[in-house]
């Protein structure tokens, strides 16, 4: 850092340590890249609008096996290891599960030694920072790049010029697109090192740059702002994650972002391939491209356009090659989340791609003349259909979700292409989500079965024989108890609230969405609070309810749910009659790091979505792996978790996906449920009458009304069953040994949910890629 140790600030120590670790990663990185070129095997390209990677320093230290050494070295300088780690900002380049899955996949690809590259956008401002003002969510910009970021390598030489708008003409019989608006994509690389540093892949993120960054004439004429305007405009493209797209300008920017990073990535992939190979027809043998949701779907038409318009292959041949390379992962069945673009907007920005999409549709129709299933209809470009038609394989993210995909959104297309849809149930990296975040449990496991589980998580099943032994179970309980105390200290220090570490820690952390039903959770908390107040001296099982998660800026109902939870927390936590039995807290600014603090301390994991709506979930896996019991519906990967951990170790409640559809047909389903359950009626009445907002009694009437009169997500219809399951959880928690045994069985039986297993599935079923590591 160019400083004397006595003048070094905390930041200098962190940077110095990061650079020392980075140096060691670079050696492995260069070796892996060299080997990839030598072997010339198939490469995997993972295109994703989001990579929620969080912090990287601890990852590097742990993967290189340097924890002891680093700790010791820092001690000699009088610097605390954990404090240095806590100083690193989170790279918050994602919203939720989709982006975090991409980050877990990068970790697994490197651990397995699959030659791969992640491609995305280098957002200068990641997902907004969330704070609460009077209980209400307030957003402010996130600024992870304000300080120098030690993990990235700028690659100013890797730049591509991309275009928008303009005209499509014909020259010498070939179609030529002449864009009128140009900008450049510049690459920034981050090495991603795998377990034990045996392999490292690259995450390449694109930043927007102007073709002509600076207008000297305008500057000399005195118009300084206009002189820098080009650069400022070009940079907006990689400025923020998910710009508010409720207005036309926002929608356009979003589509531009999608094209920007997809097109830059395609050019980079082709450049690399053409550096080593002559025949473009070999592309599918050497390249597998994974579209993480439909956001990069335009990569298909762009590859096709280059092959056909620029390289001169016939349209049919170009389509066949594109089809051979592309694969698509669907992450949601919610119709509003399947991207569709107004064809006028689309055609204005990408006129040639609109034509190409029409030709893709034509070719598809000619091959399958039974039905017209197109990527473009009703004045819209449908990215889900487009991705399906272009892709070689299409996958869902849990068994149930894949099954529902076949029966609902892609029913007709699946009928035409019955072998295209495959399932790859999500997973999470055990390095971050057990070994690093829960050192106590990690040591206990390693003491018991050795450390092979870290890269082969199914070895956790060897813990089962230990679970019957009292002394082992006591150690297991002690780890959880200690994690809870650590979390209590962390929360007390940052948020000024003391939680009761002996209470059951009941946690729901995820994006706020009506289908995820945080409002079902708070409604039950209200009913529980009312019941405790009825019998204050009663023998209650103490609970701490913890919430965290962000609501999309324009999603007002979700923001109102946050406000309600905060208002309920205020009233409940101030109630001397109930305080020992129930505490509620909503922690602000949920991110990867906060999840790493919370999950190891959880007793109960809330996975309570309306059945059929949560594609998979990955938080559910992290909790089970850290010894929390799930209270959940039969939705997404909950189904598979329950199958594996055993139904007696899972608190199941609620309607099944097909019952949900039936129930919705009953026009007064919510009123019927309310009439049948006085607890529910009373909790709703408290919300409606302003019990939690005495200064503004009407504040939550609309939430009560929504639940009473429409309740699309069936909160009321599932309430009684949820209440029942919560009481079963209370009952089980009264017997600490029984609870600990169930929790330990969750750990021992969650090994299948490693993202290493998921990635091996993709390699074998979708990509046809192989590990380049010596066995
Ligand atoms: C989404 C789905 C999850 C899924 C995840 C990864 C979009 O994430 O809803 O069910 O596990 O993708 O496949 P999330 O809601 O957490 O933002």
């Amino acid at each position: 850092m160019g400083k004397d140790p006595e003048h070094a600030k905390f930041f200098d120590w962190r940077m110095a340590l990061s650079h020392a670790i980075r140096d060691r990663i670079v050696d492995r990185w260069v070796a892996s890249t060299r080997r990839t070129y030598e072997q010339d095997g198939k490469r995997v390209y993972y295109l994703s609008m989001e990579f929620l990677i969080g912090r990287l320093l601890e990852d590097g230290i742990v993967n290189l096996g340097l924890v002891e050494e680093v700790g010791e070295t820092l001690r000699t300088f009088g610097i605390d290891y954990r404090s240095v780690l806590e100083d690193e900002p989170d790279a918050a380049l994602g919203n939720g599960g989709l982006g975090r899955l991409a980050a877990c996949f990068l970790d697994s690809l490197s651990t397995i030694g699959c030659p791969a590259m992640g491609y995305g956008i280098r957002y200068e401002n990641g997902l907004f920072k969330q704070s609460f003002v009077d209980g209400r969510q307030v957003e402010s910009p996130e600024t992870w790049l304000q300080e120098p970021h030690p993990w990235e390598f700028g690659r100013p030489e890797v730049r591509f010029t991309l275009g928008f708008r303009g005209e499509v003409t014909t020259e010498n019989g070939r179609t030529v697109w002449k864009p009128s608006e140009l900008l450049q994509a510049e690459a920034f690389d981050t090495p991603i090192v795998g377990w034990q540093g045996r392999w490292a892949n690259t995450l390449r993120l694109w930043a927007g740059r102007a073709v002509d960054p600076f207008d000297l004439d305008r500057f000399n004429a005195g118009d300084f702002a206009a002189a820098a305007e080009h650069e400022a405009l070009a940079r907006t493209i990689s400025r923020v994650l998910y710009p508010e797209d409720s207005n036309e300008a926002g929608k356009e920017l979003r589509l531009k972002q999608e094209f920007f990073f997809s097109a830059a990535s395609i050019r980079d992939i082709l450049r690399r391939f053409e550096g080593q190979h002559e025949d473009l027809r070999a592309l599918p043998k050497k390249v597998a491209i994974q579209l993480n949701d439909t956001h990069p779907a335009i990569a298909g038409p762009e590859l096709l356009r280059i092959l056909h318009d620029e390289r001169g292959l016939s349209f049919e041949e170009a389509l066949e090659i594109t089809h051979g390379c592309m694969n698509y992962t669907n992450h949601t069945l919610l119709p509003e989340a399947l991207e569709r673009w107004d064809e006028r907007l689309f055609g204005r920005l990408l006129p040639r791609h609109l034509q190409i999409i029409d030709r893709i549709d034509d070719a598809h129709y000619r091959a399958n003349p039974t039905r017209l299933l197109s990527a473009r209809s009703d004045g819209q470009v449908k990215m889900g259909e487009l991705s399906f038609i272009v892709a070689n394989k299409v996958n869902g993210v849990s068994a149930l979700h894949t099954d529902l995909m076949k029966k609902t959104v892609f029913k007709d297309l699946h009928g035409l292409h019955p072998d295209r849809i495959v399932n790859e149930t999500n997973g999470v990296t055990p390095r971050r989500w057990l070994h690093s975040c829960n050192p106590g449990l990690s040591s206990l496991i390693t003491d018991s079965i050795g450390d092979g589980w870290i890269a082969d998580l199914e070895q956790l099943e060897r813990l089962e024989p230990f679970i019957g032994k009292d002394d082992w179970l006591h150690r297991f309980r002690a780890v959880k108890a200690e994690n809870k105390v650590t979390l209590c200290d962390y929360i007390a220090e940052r948020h000024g609230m003391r939680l009761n570490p002996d209470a059951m820690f009941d946690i729901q952390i995820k994006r706020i969405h009506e289908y995820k039903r945080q409002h079902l959770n708070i409604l039950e908390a209200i009913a529980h609070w009312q019941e405790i107040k009825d019998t204050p001296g009663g023998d209650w099982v103490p609970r701490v309810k913890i919430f965290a998660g962000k609501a999309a800026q324009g999603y007002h109902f979700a923001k109102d749910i946050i406000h309600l939870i905060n208002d309920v927390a205020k009233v409940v936590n101030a109630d001397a009659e109930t305080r020992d039995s129930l505490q509620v807290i909503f922690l602000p600014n949920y991110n990867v790091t906060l999840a790493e603090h919370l999950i190891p301390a959880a007793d109960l994991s809330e996975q309570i979505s309306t059945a059929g709506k949560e594609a998979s979930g990955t938080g559910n896996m992290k909790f089970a792996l850290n010894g929390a019991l799930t209270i959940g519906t039969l939705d997404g990967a909950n189904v598979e978790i329950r199958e594996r951990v055993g139904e007696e170790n899972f608190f199941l409640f609620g309607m099944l996906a097909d019952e949900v559809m039936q129930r919705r047909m009953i026009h007064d389903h919510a009123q019927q449920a309310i009439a049948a359950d006085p607890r529910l009626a009373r909790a709703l009445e408290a919300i409606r009458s302003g019990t939690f907002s005495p200064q503004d009694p009407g504040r939550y009437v609309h939430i009560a009304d929504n639940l009473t009169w429409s309740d699309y997500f069936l909160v009321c219809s599932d309430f009684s069953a949820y209440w029942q399951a919560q009481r079963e959880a209370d009952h089980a928690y009264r017997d600490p040994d029984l609870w600990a045994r169930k929790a330990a069985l969750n750990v021992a039986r969650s090994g299948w949910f490693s993202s290493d297993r998921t990635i091996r599935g993709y390699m074998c079923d979708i990509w046809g890629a192989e590990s380049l590591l010596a066995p």
Side-chain angles (χ1 to χ4, degrees):
M1 297 307 292
K3 274 190 187 174
D4 244 350
E6 58 259 41
H7 296 134
K9 298 272 184 287
F10 213 70
F11 168 76
D12 298 312
W13 287 107
R14 175 165 67 78
M15 289 299 276
L17 178 60
S18 302
H19 281 132
I21 297 298
R22 187 179 96 158
D23 268 355
R24 283 152 184 81
I25 292 175
V26 165
D27 297 337
R28 326 291 171 111
W29 192 25
V30 171
S32 306
T33 307
R34 202 172 285 154
R35 192 162 162 80
T36 302
Y37 271 99
E38 278 162 17
Q39 297 283 311
D40 190 27
K42 194 164 185 177
R43 296 182 190 239
V44 172
Y45 296 105
Y46 197 81
L47 271 59
S48 178
M49 195 88 171
E50 303 185 14
F51 286 95
L52 194 42
I53 45 187
R55 292 177 175 159
L56 286 174
L57 178 53
E58 188 177 10
D59 238 28
I61 297 172
V62 167
N63 279 327
L64 294 183
L66 292 173
V67 178
E68 312 276 292
E69 229 175 309
V70 167
E72 207 127 290
T73 308
L74 290 177
R75 250 194 310 280
T76 63
F77 290 108
I79 303 288
D80 176 51
Y81 176 50
R82 298 277 1 146
S83 314
V84 175
L85 298 183
E86 285 291 327
D87 187 55
E88 185 179 354
D90 262 49
L93 311 184
N95 270 288
L98 178 148
R100 183 54 232 175
L101 183 75
C104 283
F105 280 4
L106 292 179
D107 183 275
S108 287
L109 284 160
S110 290
T111 292
I112 291 169
C114 175
M117 199 152 179
Y119 278 118
I121 298 179
R122 183 179 176 271
Y123 302 103
E124 268 170 64
N125 301 105
L127 189 60
F128 65 84
K129 253 195 218 139
Q130 178 198 56
S131 55
F132 298 137
V133 174
D134 297 331
R136 215 169 304 165
Q137 169 175 299
V138 173
E139 304 91 12
S140 56
E142 186 282 339
T143 52
W144 72 298
L145 286 177
Q146 210 158 45
E147 293 171 342
H149 181 56
W151 302 107
E152 67 180 7
F153 291 77
R155 304 288 191 213
E157 78 284 10
V158 184
R159 271 181 181 244
F160 295 101
T161 301
L162 308 165
F164 295 103
R165 307 179 200 275
E167 280 171 27
V168 180
T169 57
T170 322
E171 281 173 17
N172 308 323
R174 269 210 207 169
T175 308
V176 183
W177 171 36
K178 294 197 171 140
S180 58
E181 184 187 319
L182 298 179
L183 97 169
Q184 290 196 327
E186 183 179 326
F188 286 81
D189 288 352
T190 302
I192 305 290
V193 68
W195 177 235
Q196 293 175 329
R198 297 172 72 207
W199 190 265
N201 284 317
T202 305
L203 170 61
R204 175 160 281 186
L205 301 178
W206 300 105
R209 297 288 181 258
V211 178
D212 284 321
F214 190 65
D215 190 331
L216 190 59
D217 290 341
R218 281 171 123 173
F219 189 86
N220 286 337
D223 198 348
F224 305 139
E229 193 176 51
H230 284 264
E231 186 67 3
L233 267 177
R235 284 183 185 227
T236 53
I237 206 153
S238 51
R239 184 92 217 188
V240 281
L241 169 69
Y242 280 13
E244 180 69 74
D245 63 2
S246 47
N247 56 43
E248 197 61 16
K251 283 208 178 77
E252 188 177 300
L253 181 57
R254 165 97 187 168
L255 180 56
K256 280 172 112 173
Q257 284 188 322
E258 295 185 353
F259 179 73
F260 164 77
F261 96 95
S262 304
S265 308
I266 289 296
R267 268 157 235 237
D268 201 34
I269 293 167
L270 279 175
R271 178 194 53 79
R272 196 170 297 113
F273 174 85
E274 289 177 322
Q276 275 191 301
H277 306 275
E278 298 280 306
D279 188 357
L280 280 164
R281 277 168 302 199
L283 201 68
K285 275 206 211 86
K286 298 292 176 188
V287 167
I289 296 172
Q290 193 66 34
L291 307 175
N292 193 28
D293 219 314
T294 57
H295 317 143
I298 193 66
E302 173 65 359
L303 175 58
L304 216 166
R305 186 189 69 78
I306 296 178
L307 295 176
H308 179 53
D309 292 358
E310 296 184 7
R311 303 291 192 274
L313 299 183
S314 74
F315 187 85
E316 289 66 30
E317 211 163 27
L319 179 57
E320 199 183 312
I321 294 171
T322 303
H323 174 68
C325 296
M326 296 279 167
N327 308 286
Y328 154 56
T329 306
N330 173 278
H331 292 269
T332 176
L333 304 171
L334 296 185
E336 68 272 22
L338 284 177
E339 285 183 301
R340 289 163 182 218
W341 297 106
D342 182 289
E343 64 182 16
R344 282 164 307 182
L345 165 70
F346 196 98
R348 229 183 304 133
L349 276 182
L350 301 167
R352 178 58 180 149
H353 297 82
L354 199 59
Q355 295 175 347
I356 287 180
I357 289 169
D358 282 343
R359 287 195 67 178
I360 294 173
D361 266 344
D362 283 349
H364 185 248
Y365 181 63
R366 258 179 281 118
N368 311 279
T370 45
R371 268 169 286 185
L372 186 62
L373 282 165
S374 54
R376 188 177 165 199
S377 56
D378 316 321
Q380 291 181 316
V381 184
K382 300 178 174 165
M383 304 310 260
E385 281 79 356
L386 174 66
S387 304
F388 193 107
I389 293 169
V390 170
N392 189 35
K393 290 285 178 208
V394 175
N395 76 289
V397 290
S398 74
L400 176 67
H401 168 233
T402 300
D403 192 47
L404 290 172
M405 257 167 83
K406 293 179 182 171
K407 289 184 182 143
T408 61
V409 273
F410 293 126
K411 181 168 183 275
D412 296 336
L413 282 166
H414 172 61
L416 289 183
H417 308 282
D419 299 328
R420 195 163 296 183
I421 297 185
V422 293
N423 178 54
E424 302 299 344
T425 297
N426 285 168
V428 301
T429 168
R431 273 72 64 187
R432 185 180 290 256
W433 294 112
L434 177 51
H435 181 52
S436 295
C437 75
N438 196 342
L441 184 55
S442 172
S443 304
L444 175 59
I445 297 171
T446 299
D447 282 353
S448 315
I449 61 170
D451 68 359
W453 61 274
I454 299 173
D456 179 11
L457 200 60
E458 288 188 64
Q459 286 189 23
L460 289 182
E461 62 189 35
R462 290 170 40 206
L463 289 174
E464 286 218 25
F466 292 89
I467 296 173
K469 297 181 187 159
D470 287 346
D471 55 332
W472 192 92
L473 208 61
H474 278 122
R475 284 175 72 192
F476 180 82
R477 276 181 59 187
V479 167
K480 183 62 83 182
E482 205 184 305
N483 291 346
K484 288 167 72 173
V485 169
T486 308
L487 179 63
C488 288
D489 292 344
Y490 179 87
I491 290 176
E493 193 182 306
R494 271 152 223 258
H495 306 285
M497 180 169 171
R498 259 280 145 215
L499 300 177
N500 170 11
D502 299 323
M504 184 202 299
F505 279 23
D506 164 342
I507 307 188
Q508 187 172 22
I509 44 176
K510 48 186 83 235
R511 281 190 298 126
I512 311 301
H513 201 291
E514 285 164 275
Y515 88 76
K516 296 182 190 274
R517 299 202 292 193
Q518 282 88 355
H519 48 346
L520 173 59
N521 190 348
I522 198 65
L523 207 55
E524 191 275 338
I526 294 169
H528 190 44
W529 171 69
Q530 292 172 325
E531 197 131 307
I532 299 172
K533 278 183 89 60
D534 289 343
T535 327
D539 181 21
W540 306 105
V541 175
R543 275 271 181 148
V544 167
K545 279 203 172 262
I546 302 176
F547 294 84
K550 295 176 185 177
Q553 233 158 322
Y555 188 176
H556 299 290
F557 198 83
K559 289 172 129 180
D560 291 342
I561 292 173
I562 294 179
H563 197 181
L564 171 64
I565 296 174
N566 275 323
D567 275 347
V568 170
K570 204 158 129 198
V571 170
V572 168
N573 297 339
D575 189 334
E577 265 178 2
T578 61
R579 208 165 16 209
D580 295 338
S581 309
L582 182 64
Q583 293 176 297
V584 178
I585 187 167
F586 200 128
L587 297 170
N589 205 36
Y590 180 54
N591 59 15
V592 174
T593 297
L594 184 56
E596 290 168 10
H597 287 292
L598 290 169
I599 291 169
D603 293 307
L604 192 67
S605 153
E606 297 273 352
Q607 308 300 336
I608 59 176
S609 51
T610 314
K613 295 292 176 195
E614 188 68 272
S616 162
T618 45
N620 47 5
M621 301 167 186
K622 294 166 197 165
F623 278 109
L625 190 58
N626 282 274
L629 271 68
T630 306
I631 183 163
T633 48
L634 272 187
D635 201 15
N638 290 356
V639 178
E640 289 152 273
I641 292 175
R642 179 168 170 269
E643 264 165 29
R644 282 170 197 271
V645 304
E647 54 185 66
E648 64 291 359
N649 305 310
F650 186 111
F651 301 105
L652 177 71
F653 75 95
M655 284 172 283
L656 310 184
D658 46 357
E659 289 168 344
V660 163
M661 295 184 216
Q662 299 284 324
R663 178 83 189 173
R664 233 181 242 133
M665 314 269 245
I666 305 173
H667 76 278
D668 61 347
H669 55 80
Q671 288 112 284
Q672 286 186 19
I674 296 165
D677 188 337
R679 285 193 189 94
L680 170 59
R682 179 149 80 134
L684 278 172
E685 188 44 38
I687 292 177
R688 187 188 298 283
S689 62
T691 304
F692 307 105
S693 51
Q695 277 83 38
D696 179 12
R699 184 179 290 166
Y700 300 116
V701 171
H702 71 291
I703 294 187
D705 279 349
N706 176 295
L707 292 179
T708 309
W709 304 113
S710 110
D711 195 19
Y712 183 77
F713 295 100
L714 300 164
V715 167
C716 293
S717 299
D718 266 345
F719 180 88
S720 305
Y722 181 52
W723 170 274
Q724 207 45 51
Q726 288 285 17
R727 303 294 75 83
E728 281 161 31
D730 281 342
H731 181 72
Y733 198 74
R734 283 179 190 279
D735 181 344
D737 275 333
L738 172 81
W739 185 278
R741 209 165 300 126
K742 287 173 180 294
L745 284 170
N746 267 268
V747 177
R749 297 173 179 176
S750 288
W752 190 75
F753 297 99
S754 166
S755 47
D756 299 344
R757 183 268 311 151
T758 313
I759 285 298
R760 289 206 173 85
Y762 277 82
M763 288 169 72
C764 163
D765 311 336
I766 300 179
W767 302 328
E770 274 164 24
S771 165
L772 296 188
L773 280 179

